[in-house]
Structures are given as C-alpha cells and as structure tokens.
Amino acid sequence: MDAIAIVGMAGRFPGADSVDAFWANLRAGVESIRRFRDDELERAVDPAERADPRYVPARGVVEGVELFDAPFFGFTPREAELTDPQHRLLLEVAWEALEHAGLRPRAYAGTVGVFAGAGGNSYLVNHLVPAGRLAGTAGAFQASIHNKNDHLTTRIAYKLDLRGPAVTVQTACSTSLVAVATACQALADWQCDAALAGGANVVVPQRAGYLYHDHGIGSPDGHCRAFDAQARGTVAGNGAGMVVLKRLADALADGDTVYAVIRGWAVNNDGAGKVGYTAPGVDGQAAVVTTAQALAGVAPESISYVEAHGTGTALGDPIEVRALTRAFRRATEKTGFCALGSVKTNIGHLDAAAGIAGLIKTVQALAHREIPPTLHFTAPNPGIDFDATPFHVAAELRPWESDGAPRRAGVSSFGLGGTNAHVVLEEAPAPPPAAPARPRQLLVLSAQSEGALEEATGRLAAYLRSNPDVPLADVAYTLQAGREPFENRRVLVCAGRDDALAALETLAPERVLTRAQKAATRPVFFLFPGQGAQHAGMARELYEVEPAFRAALDQGLELAAPHVAADLRALLFPAPGAEAEADEALRRTENAQTALFLVEHALALLWRSWGIEPAGMLGHSIGEY
C-alpha cells in the first residue's frame, strides 16, 4: 500500500480558530465546552424544555460561524444567506488547508480531489424556513443547491478550481475519517495527485443544550468522561477540519512539509452482527483495525497511541477496548504499552467532523512528540480490565517516547449505523538539511483588500517572531509559490529574520513597497548600459550566490580568455587590497567593454532562468551588442 503524506491541515474547533490553537488547548488540558446561562440560550430553545431539570445547557461552540467573506469566494449576499454554515465553514477551511500546504490549485501541475461530508442541516429547518426566506420556486431551488450535502464538495471544487474527484461522503459520525480513507485510496489509485479530505458539523442554534435521557448518548452534566467509571455519555460539539494529502514519494519530491504519514487505512461495516442498528459492534471494529494494520504492514506492538472513538458511554467504551484488544492480540500479548485517548473529552462529539478532529489531534501529537491528556479520567470503567489489555488511558500530558523506531498511532471513528474507519499514522520522516540560501530574500504578500493585507502583514510578522528557527528562504518561497496573487500587494527585500521583522513592523517606505496592482501581463524590456558603468567587484555577490549567473559568466570568461591579454576574472573579483589596481585596469577599453558585455550577458541569462523573457531590448554603446 502506498504511504500517504499529510502536507497541510486546517480546522475550526470549539475554543480554537486554528490547528495551532487547537493543539495548544489539547496539550494544556482545556475543556472547550460552553455552559450557557439562561440569558445566553437562543430564543429558539423552548422555555419549557430548558426549565426541565434534565436539560443540560452545554455544547462545543465554534465562534464566528455567522461570518463569511462572500466576495472572496464569489458569493452574492443572497447566496451567502441561503448557504448552510457547514458548507461555508468547510469552504473556508479548505482554502486555509491548501494555503497551509503551500498548494495553489491553479498553478499545480497535478489534479486535486476533495472528499468530505457534513452533519444534518439544521440551518434550513431552524433558520431559513421559519424566517420565510424561501418564498417562490426559484428560492426553494437555490436553497436546495446551497444546502444539500450533494453539493458540498462539488462547490468547493468549483470555487477553488479543483479538477480531481469531488465526492461527498456521508456515514454519520465516521464521515470525515471515511472521507480521509476514500481520499487515500483515490491517491493510491492515481485518480488525483493531491486531495482535500475532512468534514464539518454545525448545528444551529449553537447556544442550545439538550435533554438528558437515561441510557441515551448525552451526558447528564455536559462532560464526556471517556473510559471512566463515571462515563454516562458525551456532549455535542461543532467544528470543521480538513487535511491535504499527497502520495509520500510525491510530497518528498516536491519539498513539502510532511506533518505525518498515513501508512494504512480501512473501512467496513458491522452488518447485522450486533444487538441493534445504532449499537456498536465488536467484530466490525476489531476487523477494521486489523485490516488497517495489516495493509500498513506494521506490527500492533509498534503502535504506542490510539486516538479512540471514545464517546464516553457505558456500553460503547468497553466494546471499543474489547475490539482494539482483539485486533492487537493477533500479534502481541504485551500489556499496557499503548496509550489511549479521546478528543471528545475536550471538545465534545463533532458528529460528521469527529474523525477529522481526532486525526488532526494525533498528527499534532506526532509532530510535537507529546501525548496530550484525555480529560476527566479518574478510575476505569468497570467493564474494562485495562490490566489485561495493551492499553492505558493517557490522563496527563507526557512526552511521546521512542526507542528509535518511528512513532506510530491509530485513529478510529465509528459511525452510528455501523460504518467503521481506522487509519494507521506514522511520524514524518526527518526533513533533508536546508539547502544553501541567498543572503537576501524577497517576501511578497497579497490580499483582496487593504485591510486584509494589513492583517496578513501582521500574521507574517507574528509567525516570524514565534518561529525563529524556520529558514527565511522557505518562508519566501512559500509566499511566492504557495499563495494565490491578489490585487493589493506588498513586497520587501530583507537580509535575515530580524531585518524582515524590522521592516514589517515599521513599514518604512524606503524598505517596503505597497501597491494595488490589477492582474495583467506586462512586457519586460532588458536595458544594457555602456562603458563607464564598470567597476572592480561588480556582480561579485551574484557570482557567489546565483548558480545560473556564475555558470554563464564562467562560460563567457573561458571563451574570452584567448582574446584578451588581461585576466578578467582577477579584475572583476580582485583579491583584498587589489581593488584600486583592478579599477585602473578596467578603464582600458578592451578590458571594460569585454567585462561589461560578459556581465550583462550573464545577467540576462539569470533573468531568463527565473522565467523572465524580454519583449524587447535596448542598449547603449557596448550594451548595443
């Protein structure tokens, strides 16, 4: 099975508007479930229901789901108003994930697919219909286009110009991890060269709770206590996440940042082998884990963490541990070596986005080599004998130790109705050493508005401040090659991180150029000066740092050597202390004109190596040649 690289990711989760904020919350053990006061509850909540003593006013909330940059994505105000927030949010997250991967679909030589799903549409039922916003057949048809999950991935493909498969996946709670597995298979089958995969769940109104029922899935107090003796259910949460995937060989060849590697994946269904349609099944769960491990070609004993489905139900947790144990026991009798966790204790159950939340958590854990705590665990569920299993609950933040072998993890997601998914993750291979970089870098920024440009400038400065070890050359390359160009632009040349920060923070006009530039193809003309512009040391830095310039000048000097008495290389690049003598020699016409011609010719070839072709040329004196 081909290994698949995770080269980008983005998400919006309760208490976190980015994957980095999400990780910070996880490692700090933050529970991001909101508990609402009476005055915070939405008016849509029935007063009689919230007065019921069984009413639990808690949910994982994503801030700003009502906000959407409609013009950025080419939506009219009416279209934005009609569109399910799940669709809007996932479109934004898709854009962010591609930027995180440094992948510009319009400039990418391969095809990009998109595989995703979303939760049930509460926006249509609870907002559009009661507000009377669907008057007339045309309005109803448009509402269908903007609310049916059939159009979720195809709209993303249309708006972002993705030419690979665009497939909506719907398998209830396992939707987003099944989408990841489907994307991996499409990459393995060469149906696309990169893929977006994930899901969203946004229930509106957000500021609303639920009625607790004995033996139901909802927790009586709004806390999810996965694998704990007090576990009595989960709590709902909203969120969205996506990852960008490539075949590992392609990602390494492209120089991508690899955050983790998917070694194996599997999807199955419980069938009728369980007590009821909504019940979990041991056989199906054990089989999907076993299959994923077998396809990954890894021993169960090499897996030291499993991000479980972990809903915190008295029935579901023991079944999941029993299934995992059966899968691991096919090859090992060791106990207690594998940590077990559940992101649902932090953010609740994100339904269609639950699997992608668990995957992103585990990718971050591998990348940072830390296992974050699973919350509210004090004593094991009496139905689970952990001492007889390969597992223990990761209740505290701890370093993810390794014996020198790659760190590996499993991620599970099980859907109501029996569709199960499991992926086997491995930490990313060590990146190659950074190549020699130019002493100066060109940083470019662009945005659709002046305000967005200022915000992008601030984000870049903040990134450079908080990531002092990131090579500035990598930042410059990503800004140029991995970002879509927009009309409002800002550029600066800098010599190192500190110089870049100084320029970004002061925006001194002599250092930073800011312009509004509509997309256009503008001709470039090469201008070549004549005699009098020469001097000792001219183009020395270009010769030292630009291979194309150096090769062209070396060739010219070699061809000229039989015809010129002087050593032109010694005149162009004199030894320390010999500069005055070289300047004097360069005043002689035969030396000056030959040296100028060779330098100008090498400069022209350097520009052409960067893809700049002249529409015309103009020269003075020797420059005419």
Side-chain angles (χ1 to χ4, degrees):
M1 178 175 280
D2 291 336
I4 303 298
I6 298 174
V7 298
M9 51 188 173
R12 311 272 188 86
F13 301 106
D17 61 359
S18 69
V19 292
D20 289 337
F22 182 46
W23 172 248
N25 286 346
L26 293 175
R27 71 181 307 277
V30 174
E31 184 186 45
S32 299
I33 301 299
R34 287 273 302 276
R35 283 163 179 79
F36 310 111
R37 303 185 307 269
D38 280 348
D39 62 327
E40 289 183 298
L41 291 169
E42 298 275 4
R43 287 178 294 176
V45 179
D46 187 334
E49 181 177 312
R50 67 188 187 210
D52 191 310
R54 296 173 300 159
Y55 188 75
V56 182
R59 179 181 295 277
V61 171
V62 173
E63 299 297 338
V65 295
E66 72 280 6
L67 305 176
F68 181 62
D69 192 346
F72 183 88
F73 291 106
F75 279 69
T76 67
R78 174 63 171 165
E79 288 174 328
E81 179 188 38
L82 288 175
T83 302
D84 182 355
Q86 298 181 113
H87 295 214
R88 301 193 308 240
L89 187 62
L90 203 61
L91 179 57
E92 292 177 332
V93 168
W95 176 274
E96 292 171 9
L98 289 172
E99 283 211 330
H100 192 246
L103 195 157
R104 286 176 56 200
R106 290 183 177 86
Y108 182 54
T111 58
V112 183
V114 54
F115 304 82
N121 190 321
S122 57
Y123 182 71
L124 183 67
V125 175
N126 295 335
H127 182 70
L128 294 181
V129 172
R133 287 177 165 84
L134 303 181
T137 305
F141 176 73
Q142 287 298 316
S144 172
I145 295 293
H146 294 292
N147 285 273
K148 284 180 68 178
N149 283 353
D150 306 58
H151 306 290
L152 175 69
T153 55
T154 50
R155 181 187 290 104
I156 292 173
Y158 172 68
K159 293 294 184 180
L160 304 186
D161 196 19
L162 311 181
R163 307 300 177 98
V167 180
T168 297
V169 175
Q170 293 298 158
T171 60
C173 321
S174 60
T175 289
S176 53
L177 199 64
V178 172
V180 171
T182 306
C184 289
Q185 194 61 51
L187 287 163
D189 292 342
W190 294 83
Q191 296 177 40
C192 54
D193 302 295
L196 279 162
N201 183 65
V202 178
V203 176
V204 292
Q206 283 206 98
R207 293 189 297 277
Y210 57 93
L211 279 176
Y212 167 74
H213 297 282
D214 288 337
H215 309 299
I217 194 173
S219 162
D221 59 1
H223 297 290
C224 178
R225 296 178 168 84
F227 310 112
D228 189 74
Q230 299 301 313
R232 295 173 66 190
T234 190
V235 57
N238 289 342
M242 295 198 95
V243 291
V244 181
L245 308 174
K246 283 186 178 181
R247 291 177 289 272
L248 178 60
D250 292 346
L252 296 177
D254 292 343
D256 292 321
T257 297
V258 177
Y259 297 95
V261 176
I262 299 177
R263 284 288 175 191
W265 58 90
V267 177
N268 72 2
N269 192 276
D270 293 329
K274 52 187 180 179
V275 298
Y277 172 70
T278 62
V282 173
D283 293 344
Q285 291 182 18
V288 80
V289 175
T290 299
T291 302
Q293 291 178 355
L295 291 173
V298 303
E301 201 170 311
S302 71
I303 295 171
S304 48
Y305 177 73
V306 170
E307 173 62 24
H309 189 61
T311 54
T313 58
L315 173 66
D317 287 355
I319 285 177
E320 181 168 10
V321 175
R322 201 177 314 151
L324 282 167
T325 301
R326 183 187 298 179
F328 276 62
R329 283 286 178 256
R330 68 184 175 86
T332 181
E333 293 299 320
K334 287 183 65 175
T335 60
F337 65 88
C338 184
L340 197 62
S342 172
V343 75
K344 292 177 180 64
T345 63
N346 301 89
I347 60 174
H349 189 349
L350 270 53
D351 192 75
I356 197 66
L359 182 74
I360 289 174
K361 168 191 172 180
T362 311
V363 171
Q364 291 278 48
L366 283 167
H368 291 89
R369 298 182 174 181
E370 291 182 313
I371 296 178
T374 289
L375 308 184
H376 312 307
F377 183 81
T378 55
N381 184 312
I384 304 173
D385 181 8
F386 276 113
D387 291 340
T389 77
F391 308 103
H392 63 275
V393 176
E396 297 178 347
L397 174 70
R398 64 176 177 83
W400 194 336
E401 304 291 353
S402 168
D403 59 2
R407 294 166 180 80
R408 292 191 180 124
V411 180
S412 292
S413 191
F414 308 135
L416 198 70
T419 294
N420 309 305
H422 188 81
V423 302
V424 176
L425 289 176
E426 184 176 284
E427 67 179 327
R438 297 180 174 98
R440 292 175 179 81
Q441 298 297 330
L442 174 68
L443 303 184
V444 301
L445 290 163
S446 74
Q448 282 199 348
S449 68
E450 293 180 9
L453 183 61
E454 297 304 324
E455 187 174 342
T457 302
R459 284 203 306 268
L460 176 58
Y463 178 82
L464 293 176
R465 272 195 300 272
S466 59
N467 294 274
D469 297 328
V470 172
L472 191 63
D474 290 356
V475 175
Y477 177 81
T478 299
L479 289 173
Q480 294 175 48
R483 296 291 182 269
E484 199 68 32
F486 295 110
E487 182 174 325
N488 292 275
R489 302 180 181 186
R490 177 166 285 161
V491 300
L492 66 141
V493 176
C494 54
R497 169 179 168 270
D498 291 342
D499 187 41
L501 280 170
L504 289 167
E505 288 168 350
T506 62
L507 297 180
E510 67 273 14
R511 292 291 315 279
V512 180
L513 182 66
T514 304
R515 294 285 187 274
Q517 172 63 60
K518 292 187 180 296
T521 301
R522 293 176 178 268
V524 174
F525 289 78
F526 287 178
L527 304 180
F528 299 93
Q531 193 167 340
Q534 76 279 0
H535 60 88
M538 64 177 174
R540 182 192 291 273
E541 188 174 328
L542 284 176
Y543 185 82
E544 291 172 349
V545 303
E546 294 295 343
F549 180 85
R550 182 167 58 251
L553 187 57
D554 283 345
Q555 181 188 33
L557 290 169
E558 181 182 347
L559 292 171
H563 307 287
V564 181
D567 181 356
L568 290 178
R569 188 186 302 275
L571 300 184
L572 285 172
F573 312 126
E579 292 87 358
E581 184 180 348
D583 269 331
E584 182 63 31
L586 278 174
R587 290 194 181 97
R588 292 163 54 184
T589 298
E590 65 270 25
N591 295 336
Q593 292 192 345
T594 309
L596 279 170
F597 176 85
L598 294 179
V599 168
E600 292 173 7
H601 178 262
L603 275 169
L605 292 183
L606 175 63
W607 282 102
R608 293 182 70 184
S609 75
W610 291 337
I612 307 298
E613 290 291 340
M617 293 179 284
L618 187 67
H620 164 253
S621 183
I622 189 63
E624 293 183 65
Y625 287 92

